[in-house]
Amino acid sequence: MIAKEVEIILARQWASYLAMPIFIVDPQGTLIYYNESAEHILGRRFEETGEMPVAEWATLFKASDEAGKPLDSDTLPLVIALAERRPARRDFWIRGLDDVLRHIEVSAFPLIGLGQRHLGAMAIVWEVSA
Amino acid sequence: MKITLWGTRGSLASPGPETARYGGNTSCVEVRGGDGTVLVLDAGTGIRRLGATLPKTLRRVDVLLTHLHMDHIQGLGFFAPLRNPNVEVHIWGPASVTLGLRARLSRYLSPPLFPVHLRDMPSTVCLHEVPCAEFDVGEFHINSSLVCHPDPTVGYRIMTPDGVVVYLPDHEPALGAQQFPLSQDWTSGCALAENADLLIHDAQYTPQEYEDRVGFGHSSLPQAFEFGALAGVKHFVPFHHDPAHSDDDLDRLIAETVTAVKPPFQITPGAEGTTFALGTAEGTPGTKGNSGTG
Ligand SMILES: [Zn+2]
Ligand SMILES: [Zn+2]
């Protein structure tokens, strides 16, 4: 068993109560948790998928800019927060498995635990109303 | 190895006729190895009597603090080896995000809360911050990791060929879990406690009390037993009893919970003076509990 750090366990429990979609990734980029509100963005239920490696979850939605041009994954806030260990935000459009185009604003930040342990990153998603 | 419970009460020392059997001293457990190595788990008020029983020839003792809440450090200033210039006292405990272990401990071991500074203790005091990489003390191989409790708090897993003892006196693994328990990897403390021969674990509240104390950092008796079952432990010691629970309350609450939960392990309620022998003469792991009179 690879146990989750207590900061990550508490982050999941907190996220499970929140209405904003929240994604949590580990230091390797594996999506280790997303809350119920995030399920409709991915079009999957966490109870069904469990954890997903980055290669898998990154294909579940298509991110594009205002003009419909696909975004490089390394410009996505969660990827920046993880790779560069700094907060990042931007707005963009995504089309999930439900084929709905959504305008979203994502704020992501690295998770640094006690003793400066790098634990991964967390992203909070706002849907921008039309 | 031999394990002795010197203090099993949570939160506040609670002496009195109604707590005489389980004891009123706060958290302190001795783990003594076959080679004479002495580990002291937490420095609650139970540590004073433990200190008085240590052999005069002892030159090193290791105190493993889970965290720095008062009920886990209050006895430290009264621990005899700290006043002995011939002894090395190694104290292991968590730093905070901004303060090291020395600064945190010195907040208590200095005036006005205590007359003597930690630095003025006659013994040689060596401080070690946890969680850290696994470490060895004598015959013991020890792992520590952060667990769910307010302020940085660790649990300890102590391993020898005789078996494994796990100490989680203050632990709320059910905090915020919409169903408890989740899987092992998503449950605080579970990797530490996995398949332990002896688990000494927080069991402070009744389910009704827990409802009013969510986030205080402790477990109800049923949650504690569910945790033990999830971790696959063999022998469970309910510990950190609520100061308001009398001996008769504890007898009744533990018996009721055993009947309701039917835990798949042996249970020995944590009473002051109880000893456990881990491993047998033949070297097979296993525990034998002995209710003491302490
Ligand atoms: Zn405590
Ligand atoms: Zn505590």
Side-chain angles (χ1 to χ4, degrees):
Chain A
M1 175 200 356
I2 299 177
K4 303 292 184 281
E5 301 285 352
V6 72
E7 295 94 331
I8 294 291
I9 292 173
L10 291 170
R12 170 187 176 158
Q13 288 165 344
W14 174 63
S16 75
Y17 285 89
L18 294 179
M20 314 95 83
I22 291 183
F23 297 85
I24 303 172
V25 295
D26 73 7
Q28 287 70 47
T30 300
L31 182 60
I32 52 174
Y33 180 71
Y34 50 100
N35 63 1
E36 255 182 76
S37 306
E39 289 178 345
H40 76 272
I41 292 179
L42 287 185
R44 298 284 170 90
R45 294 195 58 231
F46 179 70
E47 299 305 331
E48 289 158 9
T49 63
E51 299 184 1
M52 281 188 279
V54 63
E56 188 179 340
W57 68 262
T59 62
L60 291 181
F61 58 87
K62 291 184 180 66
S64 56
D65 66 13
E66 201 169 357
K69 187 168 152 276
L71 294 180
D72 284 343
S73 64
D74 57 7
T75 65
L76 297 176
L78 188 53
V79 176
I80 293 171
L82 190 67
E84 300 178 25
R85 300 191 191 181
R86 63 176 176 87
R89 72 155 295 285
R90 79 173 286 178
D91 69 314
F92 52 95
W93 279 256
I94 60 162
R95 195 180 289 280
L97 284 187
D98 57 5
D99 212 32
V100 174
L101 187 67
R102 292 186 175 84
H103 183 194
I104 59 171
E105 198 169 304
V106 176
S107 301
F109 50 90
L111 295 169
I112 312 290
L114 196 66
Q116 296 298 309
R117 285 144 50 245
H118 181 51
L119 303 172
M122 181 186 257
I124 295 173
V125 177
W126 289 98
E127 276 194 54
V128 182
S129 40
Chain B
M1 74 175 123
K2 186 180 167 203
I3 297 108
T4 306
L5 309 183
W6 291 96
T8 64
R9 192 63 53 174
S11 309
L12 182 71
S14 313
E18 68 286 356
T19 57
R21 277 190 293 116
Y22 282 87
N25 280 304
T26 62
S27 302
C28 183
V29 174
E30 174 189 358
V31 181
R32 202 177 291 211
D35 65 355
T37 304
V38 178
L39 301 181
V40 179
L41 309 179
D42 277 331
T45 60
I47 201 174
R48 190 191 62 80
R49 289 185 68 224
L50 156 61
T53 68
L54 293 173
K56 296 273 175 289
T57 51
L58 191 74
R59 289 293 165 266
R60 170 177 175 150
V61 60
D62 287 69
V63 180
L64 278 53
L65 302 174
T66 55
H67 62 310
L68 275 67
H69 285 166
M70 199 58 158
D71 52 324
H72 298 258
I73 61 168
Q74 194 174 3
L76 200 54
F78 301 89
F79 185 44
L82 274 174
R83 295 190 299 274
N84 183 339
N86 301 317
V87 179
E88 261 181 33
V89 180
H90 291 254
I91 302 177
W92 305 74
S96 76
V97 174
T98 56
L99 288 180
L101 177 61
R102 181 174 295 279
R104 299 186 79 210
L105 269 179
S106 296
R107 286 191 166 180
Y108 166 48
L109 288 174
S110 62
L113 295 182
F114 194 76
V116 185
H117 277 278
L118 179 61
R119 62 170 180 264
D120 295 330
M121 292 287 182
S123 62
T124 304
V125 178
C126 309
L127 299 180
H128 309 269
E129 292 183 354
V130 291
C132 58
E134 294 187 6
F135 56 98
D136 292 301
V137 178
E139 68 181 53
F140 300 114
H141 187 63
I142 301 165
N143 191 11
S144 59
S145 64
L146 291 168
V147 296
C148 189
H149 187 69
D151 304 322
T153 301
V154 301
Y156 290 102
R157 180 179 178 94
I158 298 155
M159 298 162 272
T160 71
D162 278 346
V164 173
V165 184
V166 175
Y167 181 65
L168 287 164
D170 291 47
H171 190 209
E172 188 180 5
L175 178 63
Q178 300 205 0
Q179 79 259 25
F180 180 78
L182 293 170
S183 57
Q184 290 184 326
D185 59 335
W186 278 103
T187 300
S188 163
C190 204
L192 271 187
E194 193 177 18
N195 300 325
D197 294 294
L198 186 71
L199 171 64
I200 301 168
H201 192 279
D202 188 329
Q204 182 154 348
Y205 300 136
T206 66
Q208 297 72 31
E209 288 167 344
Y210 181 75
E211 279 178 26
D212 294 334
R213 294 164 173 82
V214 171
F216 282 29
H218 302 291
S219 295
S220 69
L221 271 155
Q223 288 165 348
F225 287 0
E226 297 283 2
F227 174 83
L230 181 72
V233 307
K234 298 179 185 71
H235 193 160
F236 188 103
V237 179
F239 194 81
H240 206 272
H241 310 303
D242 194 86
H245 292 169
S246 69
D247 291 336
D248 292 344
D249 290 336
L250 286 170
D251 287 344
R252 180 177 47 80
L253 293 171
I254 293 169
E256 282 173 5
T257 311
V258 169
T259 305
V261 179
K262 297 187 180 57
F265 39 69
Q266 187 186 348
I267 291 167
T268 303
E272 223 171 286
T274 302
T275 60
F276 302 88
L278 204 58
T280 63
E282 294 80 43
T284 23
T287 45
K288 275 188 292 190
N290 235 332
S291 272
T293 51

